[in-house]
């Protein structure tokens, strides 16, 4: 029983990481109807940026997270400029969310992700970078019979705070309302005077900032940072987005938590090498039985 | 206030607008009527910057706005309640109005709700759950939130019951009374000519006929084509 509880806690913090990454996918899919294949690399860049900041200034955790948040935001701006904006030469809605746009940016974001990964390898090498021991988030916490580490709590609380902040941004600020407006009706957004290009850039800023923070949190949790670390959470977050109905944030967050918990609990029944299969199984089941996503039925956007 | 001269819009191989000339003076209601597919909505989209003109001029309060990005045109005081309403259906009525207000936010809310009291009761409801008439009201209200000096209305009566159409046309008249200029595109020529000062008939991407609305309403040719054959006194 204690083991179950312990795995549940681990699963929730893991799920929160997936949720942070999934939000970037979901927001960007909402405004552009495209999948940003470089999103996993934003996560990796967040982790390396954190490592760099730690090596240079060794700031307290909160400052470190803020620095990574800023790096993620800038990465988002650059990503949008390089891989997405050049393909947006026409401004009417038909081409903003067209198939040609989707295919072009699929390739350009994939290309940029490869370049980013190789660049990191050139600079840092392909081996694991280790995190200084005192920064590792693995201090045990005993809660009655259950033992977890402080990383589980820190990840969960940080991610929850970011989700609440996101909720605030999307419902209370002009930028957030504009993001939802473009997502809901891009043509309508132009008629009310929303600057669609700037709003798309902001969407990348918000999504990438959250993805980058997820990267450093996991880096500090497992103590290992490596060039391809973004791939796995990227896949899980992608599955969460699809399960959640592609452009529903609550849907993506709930599905990310489901995947995280299911993965953690799966080790009770099967060897942990099979853990990776859980997300793929969810994806297949979703695509066969809920082609519009588990929460996609109502087609609620962002 | 708005002067359009020789406006051309080409989409692909098709020339949709073939040199449109049209003016709207301060405090005026100008109606553009015509059958489906003659380019009325293309004209409206070109004015609002959604379509890029291929030639000609659009001057608003003296400055050329042809080819400007749509958000810059809105910022200059020219708002549109577009065809198909284009409201944000998954957002609340309040959020639709906030977005309409842009930098002004909800500053204009009281004045707009005085015109559309019904919306006041629906503020936290999803815009998609409103009835067709309410959605049209929201669409116009959203455009007014920005305090425009010129309001473009594209087919405000489309798909509405006759009683609602009358309400919408009455509203348009009272919006003008508040000092706005209005450019109105309508298939419902009878209703449009009744509230307009001047009007133009569009055919094949051009203005075929223009003049005082009352004169057009009395014109035999207009009456036969657009008013169902009989001239109203």
């Amino acid at each position: 029983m204690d083991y179950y509880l312990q795995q549940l806690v681990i699963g929730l913090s893991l799920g929160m990481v997936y949720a942070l990454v999934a939000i970037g996918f979901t927001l960007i899919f909402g405004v552009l109807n495209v999948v940003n294949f470089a999103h996993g690399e934003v996560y990796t860049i967040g982790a390396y940026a954190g490592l760099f900041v730690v090596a240079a200034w060794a700031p307290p955790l909160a400052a470190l997270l803020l620095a990574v948040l800023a790096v993620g935001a800038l990465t988002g701006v650059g990503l949008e400029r390089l891989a997405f904006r050049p393909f947006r030469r026409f401004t009417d809605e038909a081409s903003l969310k067209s198939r040609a746009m989707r295919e072009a940016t699929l390739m350009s974001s994939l290309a940029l992700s490869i370049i980013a990964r190789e660049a990191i390898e050139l600079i840092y090498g392909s081996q694991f970078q280790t995190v200084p021991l005192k920064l590792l988030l693995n201090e045990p916490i005993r809660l009655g019979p259950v033992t977890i580490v402080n990383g589980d709590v820190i990840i969960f609380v940080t991610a929850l705070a970011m989700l609440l902040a996101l909720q605030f941004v999307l419902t209370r600020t002009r930028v957030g309302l504009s993001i939802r407006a473009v997502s809901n009706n891009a043509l309508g957004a132009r008629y009310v005077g929303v600057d669609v290009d700037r709003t798309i850039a902001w969407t990348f800023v918000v999504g990438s900032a959250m993805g980058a923070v997820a990267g450093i949190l996991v880096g500090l949790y497992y103590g290992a940072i490596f060039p391809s670390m973004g791939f796995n959470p990227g896949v899980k977050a992608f599955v969460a987005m699809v399960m959640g109905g592609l452009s529903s944030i609550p849907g993506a967050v709930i599905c990310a938590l489901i995947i995280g918990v299911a993965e953690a609990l799966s080790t009770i029944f099967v060897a942990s090498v099979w853990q990776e299969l859980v997300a793929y199984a969810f994806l297949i089941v979703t695509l066969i039985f809920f082609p519009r996503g588990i929460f996609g039925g109502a087609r609620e956007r962002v | 206030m708005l002067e359009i001269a020789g406006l051309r819009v080409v989409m692909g191989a098709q020339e949709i607008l073939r040199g449109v000339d049209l003016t709207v003076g301060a405090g005026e209601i100008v109606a553009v009527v015509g059958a489906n597919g003659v380019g009325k909505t293309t004209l409206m989209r070109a004015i609002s910057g959604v379509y890029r003109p291929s030639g000609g001029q659009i001057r608003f309060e003296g400055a050329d706005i042809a080819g400007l990005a749509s958000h810059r045109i809105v910022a200059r005081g020219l708002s549109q309640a577009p065809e198909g309403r284009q409201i944000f259906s998954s957002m609340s009525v309040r959020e639709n109005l906030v977005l309409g207000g842009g930098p002004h936010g909800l500053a204009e809310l009281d004045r707009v709700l005085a015109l559309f009291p019904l919306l006041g009761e629906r503020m936290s409801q999803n815009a998609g759950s409103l009835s067709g008439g309410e959605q049209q009201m929201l669409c116009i209200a959203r455009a007014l939130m920005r305090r425009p000096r010129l309001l473009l209305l594209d087919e405000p009566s489309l798909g509405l019951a006759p009683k609602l159409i009358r309400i919408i046309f009455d509203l348009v008249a009272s919006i003008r009374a508040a000092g706005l200029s209005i450019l109105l595109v309508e298939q419902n020529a009878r209703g449009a000519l009744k509230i307009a000062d001047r009007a133009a008939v569009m055919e094949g991407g051009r203005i075929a006929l223009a003049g005082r609305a009352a004169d057009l309403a009395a014109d035999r040719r207009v009456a036969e084509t657009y008013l169902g054959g009989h001239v109203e006194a």
Side-chain angles (χ1 to χ4, degrees), chain A residues 91-92 170-171 174 177-178 180-181 184-185 187-196 300-301, chain B residues 45 48-50 70-71 74 80 82 86-91 95 98-100 102-103 142 146:
Chain A
T91 48
D92 57 302
L170 288 179
T171 56
R174 263 185 84 196
L177 285 172
S178 299
R180 286 170 61 211
N184 182 217
N185 185 341
L187 182 59
R190 303 188 63 195
Y191 280 114
V192 297
V194 167
D195 184 342
V196 174
E300 159 78 40
R301 296 199 130 203
Chain B
R45 291 191 168 186
S48 277
V50 171
S70 46
H71 65 271
V74 173
Q80 180 168 174
Q86 309 296 348
I87 55 165
F88 305 113
S89 56
S90 72
M91 301 174 76
E95 287 170 333
V98 172
L99 279 159
R142 187 180 70 173
R146 191 68 181 245

Side-chain angles (χ1 to χ4, degrees), chain B:
Chain B
M1 167 153 263
L2 183 75
E3 293 121 32
I4 299 171
L7 182 65
R8 289 173 54 244
V9 170
V10 179
M11 316 254 305
Q14 259 193 315
E15 189 173 15
I16 316 250
L17 297 186
R18 305 152 180 261
V20 171
D21 302 302
L22 190 71
T23 60
V24 181
E28 237 185 350
I29 298 185
V30 174
V32 175
V33 298
N36 243 336
V38 296
K40 301 190 301 292
T41 291
T42 304
L43 170 64
M44 295 298 252
R45 291 191 168 186
I47 298 171
S48 277
V50 171
Y51 290 158
R52 185 175 284 273
S54 317
Q57 273 195 335
I58 307 172
R59 301 185 78 80
F60 177 60
E61 297 181 329
D64 193 2
I65 58 166
L68 281 187
S70 46
H71 65 271
R72 302 208 183 280
I73 293 175
V74 173
R76 279 166 184 258
L78 195 165
S79 287
Q80 180 168 174
E83 186 202 32
R85 294 155 199 160
Q86 309 296 348
I87 55 165
F88 305 113
S89 56
S90 72
M91 301 174 76
S92 70
V93 169
R94 176 185 297 274
E95 287 170 333
N96 270 268
L97 294 176
V98 172
L99 279 159
H104 310 311
L106 289 174
E108 205 69 352
L109 187 65
D110 290 344
R111 237 175 301 182
V112 170
L113 286 186
L115 284 168
F116 305 93
L118 201 69
L119 291 178
E121 302 161 20
R122 304 262 192 277
M123 288 297 272
S124 49
Q125 208 170 312
N126 248 19
S129 69
L130 299 179
S131 73
E134 291 165 350
Q135 290 192 10
Q136 187 58 57
M137 289 178 191
L138 174 60
C139 174
I140 299 173
R142 187 180 70 173
L144 290 175
M145 291 295 288
R146 191 68 181 245
R147 291 183 205 149
R149 290 181 294 285
L150 174 62
L151 178 67
L152 269 52
L153 294 170
D154 194 351
E155 301 274 12
S157 76
L158 194 70
L160 298 183
K163 201 179 129 205
L164 270 171
I165 293 179
R166 221 167 310 131
I167 294 175
I168 293 281
F169 278 133
D170 287 348
L171 272 170
V172 173
S174 51
I175 290 167
R176 186 262 294 270
L180 267 79
S181 312
I182 294 171
L183 176 59
L184 169 71
V185 154
E186 259 300 334
Q187 277 196 67
N188 183 335
R190 188 184 304 279
L193 292 180
K194 219 174 262 173
I195 57 168
D197 304 304
R198 287 188 304 116
V201 178
M202 243 179 123
E203 265 169 31
R206 281 199 189 89
I207 303 293
L209 208 61
R212 287 182 44 223
D215 295 344
L216 283 187
D219 185 284
R220 174 172 297 276
R221 208 168 71 107
V222 174
E224 273 170 10
T225 321
Y226 302 105
L227 300 178
H230 77 104
V231 178
E232 252 184 315

Side-chain angles (χ1 to χ4, degrees), chain A residues 5-301:
Chain A
L5 269 177
Q6 195 170 314
Q7 288 301 103
L8 183 68
V9 173
I10 291 173
L12 282 175
S13 75
L14 195 62
M16 277 302 214
V17 168
Y18 297 157
L20 287 183
V21 182
I23 282 166
F25 274 128
T26 306
L27 283 174
I28 290 164
F29 191 88
V31 294
L32 287 177
N33 269 18
V34 299
V35 177
N36 169 19
F37 277 90
H39 196 49
E41 272 55 46
V42 172
Y43 173 97
T44 312
I45 288 171
Y48 275 92
L51 196 66
F52 179 84
V53 171
V54 164
W57 297 286
L61 184 64
L64 172 64
L65 293 180
L66 281 177
V68 171
L69 194 80
V71 171
L74 288 176
T75 309
V77 173
L79 177 62
E80 198 268 334
R81 276 282 151 86
L82 290 172
F84 291 86
R85 185 163 301 192
F87 298 95
R88 213 164 50 240
R89 276 178 301 158
F90 306 100
T91 48
D92 57 302
E93 187 188 33
S95 51
L96 184 66
K97 297 188 177 180
S98 73
R99 190 163 164 203
M101 265 286 293
R102 233 170 15 240
E103 285 167 1
T105 53
L106 185 155
M107 297 311 290
S108 61
S109 64
L110 192 62
L112 205 68
S113 80
I114 294 169
I115 293 169
R117 204 159 55 234
E118 295 296 324
I120 291 171
E121 268 204 54
L122 268 179
I123 300 167
Y124 283 93
S126 58
Q127 70 277 26
F128 281 36
Q129 302 290 317
T130 48
V131 175
L133 265 180
K134 65 179 178 61
L135 281 166
L136 272 183
L137 303 177
N138 65 352
E139 253 171 66
I141 299 176
R142 235 171 278 281
L143 294 169
V146 185
T147 308
I148 54 173
V149 296
N150 65 344
D152 291 318
V153 179
I154 289 172
I155 287 179
F156 191 87
V157 171
T158 308
L160 189 66
M162 289 181 73
L163 289 180
L164 292 175
L166 176 74
Q167 185 64 22
F168 179 83
V169 167
L170 288 179
T171 56
R172 294 275 183 277
T173 68
R174 263 185 84 196
V175 164
L177 285 172
S178 299
I179 289 175
R180 286 170 61 211
V182 173
S183 180
N184 182 217
N185 185 341
L187 182 59
R190 303 188 63 195
Y191 280 114
V192 297
V194 167
D195 184 342
V196 174
D197 273 331
R198 220 182 58 175
T199 302
I200 291 170
W202 270 109
T203 311
F204 278 82
V205 164
V206 174
S208 301
M210 300 186 91
V213 169
I216 187 60
L217 284 174
V218 171
L220 297 180
Y221 183 73
Y222 290 119
I225 291 172
F226 52 99
S228 61
M229 66 184 285
F231 179 75
N232 242 323
V235 169
K236 310 293 169 56
F238 177 76
V239 174
M241 169 184 78
V242 175
M243 278 174 74
L246 292 176
S247 50
S248 155
I249 285 187
V253 169
I254 291 167
C255 291
L257 287 173
I258 292 175
I259 293 172
V261 170
E263 276 187 356
L265 292 182
S266 72
T267 57
I268 296 167
F269 309 104
V270 294
S272 60
V273 287
W274 293 96
Q275 196 180 349
E276 295 303 314
L277 272 184
V278 171
Y280 295 98
F282 272 123
L283 181 61
I284 290 170
V285 170
T286 304
L287 290 179
I288 293 175
F289 297 106
F290 308 96
R292 305 177 76 178
I294 295 174
F295 299 94
R299 217 72 199 113
E300 159 78 40
R301 296 199 130 203

